Amino acid sequence: RVPVSDMIRVCLNQQCANIKKLGRAVACVPSDVVVWADTFWLGQALQNVIDNAIYYGVSGVCVGANDVGDVVNIYVINDSPILPDYVCQKAFERYFSVGSGQAGEHKGTGLGLTLVKQIIGLHGGTVSFSQIDKEALIKSYPHCQLQGENFVVVEIVLSKII
């Protein structure tokens, strides 16, 4: 039994140094949903997704969860430059990595999102990576008030405890 908001707060607290260093604004949308998950492994998955959102975003990150019937949708959203289509298609492939756009820096080995997909799959869930525009952000995630016109969304869907 994992309270999602508590797990998100723990992950964000562990990212404080990166948040300050990169000057990101971070919002955590409160939720009282609970999922079936291994606390350690869900924490690792969320930590990878949040770390990427902070690092690759332009100025802000929004993290939260929605109760959707029998499942919980955990989302991590950042404002981002428009990415080529192949990035969304290959995001979870082993060793796939893109530059950050920060003075040509390159981050990681390309295993983080692959690990996320495996962890979430072992929990019976799914994970997706997509881009949306400002209109879709306002419609689908009204509590996320991020600046910019383009956003990257990573959604994790897990069974909730009823």
Side-chain angles (χ1 to χ4, degrees):
R1 295 176 49 101
V2 179
V4 175
S5 283
D6 292 350
M7 179 62 63
I8 291 170
R9 279 189 210 96
V10 167
C11 291
L12 289 174
N13 285 338
Q14 292 173 352
Q15 291 289 336
C16 283
N18 285 337
I19 292 167
K20 285 183 181 180
K21 176 183 169 190
L22 297 171
R24 302 294 185 253
V26 177
C28 177
V29 178
S31 171
D32 60 356
V33 295
V34 178
V35 295
W36 286 109
D38 179 282
T39 303
F40 175 80
W41 288 111
L42 179 59
Q44 289 296 303
L46 281 174
Q47 195 66 261
N48 277 327
V49 173
I50 291 169
D51 181 62
N52 282 348
I54 291 167
Y55 188 80
Y56 290 108
V58 175
S59 63
V61 176
C62 180
V63 186
N66 293 327
D67 183 336
V68 186
D70 292 342
V71 298
V72 170
N73 180 19
I74 303 169
Y75 54 87
V76 179
I77 305 171
N78 69 348
D79 54 341
S80 168
I82 295 175
L83 300 172
D85 290 339
Y86 75 89
V87 173
C88 294
Q89 296 165 359
K90 294 179 173 265
F92 296 102
E93 289 183 13
R94 181 173 286 159
Y95 306 122
F96 179 75
S97 184
V98 293
S100 70
Q102 298 177 29
E105 290 180 22
H106 197 74
K107 177 184 178 294
T109 59
L111 293 174
L113 290 180
T114 300
L115 179 63
V116 168
K117 184 176 180 181
Q118 290 174 349
I119 291 169
I120 299 306
L122 289 170
H123 283 82
T126 61
V127 60
S128 63
F129 182 103
S130 62
Q131 293 187 92
I132 61 173
D133 61 16
K134 186 73 166 190
E135 184 178 329
L137 177 77
I138 292 167
K139 181 179 178 185
S140 300
Y141 307 95
H143 299 294
C144 290
Q145 298 180 3
L146 295 171
Q147 301 301 315
E149 296 300 319
N150 191 63
F151 306 91
V152 169
V153 180
V154 176
E155 291 183 329
I156 297 170
V157 178
L158 293 168
S159 295
K160 72 175 180 180
I161 294 177
I162 299 175

